[in-house]
Amino acid sequence: SPLRRGPAPAGRGGGGRVGFEGEDLLAKRPGEMRKYRGSRISMVLQDPMTSLNPTLSIGEQVAEVVRLHQKLRSRGLREKVVDALYRLKIPAAEMRLRDYPHQLSGGMRQRVTSAIAMSCQPHLLIADEPTTSLDVTIQAQYLELLREVQQKSGVSIIFVTHDFGIVAATADIVAVMYAGKIVEMATTVEVFDSPQHPYTEALMRCLPRSGSVDHRLTDIAGQPPDLSSLPPGCAFTPRCSRAMERCQQAYPPQVEVSAGHWASCWLRCGEP
């Protein structure tokens, strides 16, 4: 994660580089990373009831981030907190400052977590399945709100989701991941119209088709791999109907199938 919030030693980096605005976040010391978290990079989690502190008021929780990163106090702090709530369209924000998480609806709690994340105008927002605990109607409202916030603030959003409907409605570029690795990346239109990895193709076959009364949903055979003992080749091989011998022997390189459309699959590498 760019925020490097995994507990050590269980959560540790496996090498590589996490680039952000020309900086390698993996090379930063813990004290340096604190300047990034909440200020330049923020995160919204999928369950607001567990990410919000039930013993602190909404105002206190939003103010904590602003106080830490912008050193505001008293009236200036209160104005900043109220403004953060209003930007996420939380009605009667001044009155909500004294409320506690259990007094709000699920959709309103998720707006509060987003207000906390956006309170210091970060450059990057990581939204980790933030619509999971919301019903369909509230999901649509929240997604529209995120789009509006993004357009007004210019913040970049990494949206993590299993819902292809949300992907189609919100994403500009899609990275499809399997077993912890990106197996395909392209614009949303390209991924939906011309998937180039067998896993992406299998995911598309699992989607219901509008207007089709006799279409049967398919599933992907087999089980996901054990991440603690991944095979040397492509991890999707045991579940892939088009697997070849070399798929078991080595992981395929990343190939640019067309302009800006990348896939890691031996089928796209031509003959050995």
Side-chain angles (χ1 to χ4, degrees), residues 74-253:
S74 304
R75 183 175 179 179
L77 177 61
R78 178 184 172 85
E79 290 177 352
K80 187 73 174 180
V81 171
V82 172
D83 179 64
L85 295 178
Y86 269 128
R87 279 194 288 122
L88 270 295
K89 295 189 176 181
I90 297 173
E94 295 91 343
M95 298 176 63
R96 295 294 189 185
L97 295 179
R98 297 180 181 179
D99 286 350
Y100 288 83
H102 71 273
Q103 295 175 284
L104 306 179
S105 66
M108 201 60 67
R109 285 195 292 266
Q110 194 60 286
R111 292 188 184 204
V112 169
T113 61
S114 300
I116 294 172
M118 293 297 298
S119 60
C120 293
Q121 283 107 32
H123 300 175
L124 174 63
L125 176 67
I126 303 171
D128 183 11
E129 300 197 54
T131 60
T132 300
S133 60
L134 307 178
D135 63 44
V136 176
T137 302
I138 303 302
Q139 276 188 17
Q141 294 174 358
Y142 179 74
L143 291 173
E144 180 59 33
L145 179 61
L146 276 188
R147 279 194 293 269
E148 183 177 324
V149 169
Q150 193 278 329
Q151 291 169 1
K152 289 183 177 179
S153 67
V155 63
S156 297
I157 300 178
I158 297 177
F159 204 106
V160 182
T161 182
H162 291 91
D163 190 326
F164 263 84
I166 292 177
V167 170
T170 61
D172 298 311
I173 297 174
V174 179
V176 181
M177 299 188 69
Y178 187 81
K181 293 184 178 180
I182 295 176
V183 297
E184 182 168 357
M185 185 164 63
T187 64
T188 305
V189 173
E190 282 281 318
V191 168
F192 276 83
D193 288 353
S194 180
Q196 296 295 314
H197 193 280
Y199 177 56
T200 311
E201 294 173 351
L203 289 175
M204 295 300 174
R205 289 194 295 269
C206 295
L207 297 176
R209 297 178 184 174
S210 177
S212 176
V213 295
D214 57 353
H215 173 65
R216 293 177 61 87
L217 295 180
T218 61
D219 58 2
I220 304 175
Q223 297 293 324
D226 180 358
L227 296 182
S228 65
S229 58
L230 290 174
C234 175
F236 189 61
T237 299
R239 309 175 72 183
C240 181
S241 60
R242 303 165 66 187
M244 303 175 289
E245 183 177 349
R246 62 177 172 173
C247 297
Q248 303 176 24
Q249 299 170 350
Y251 192 82

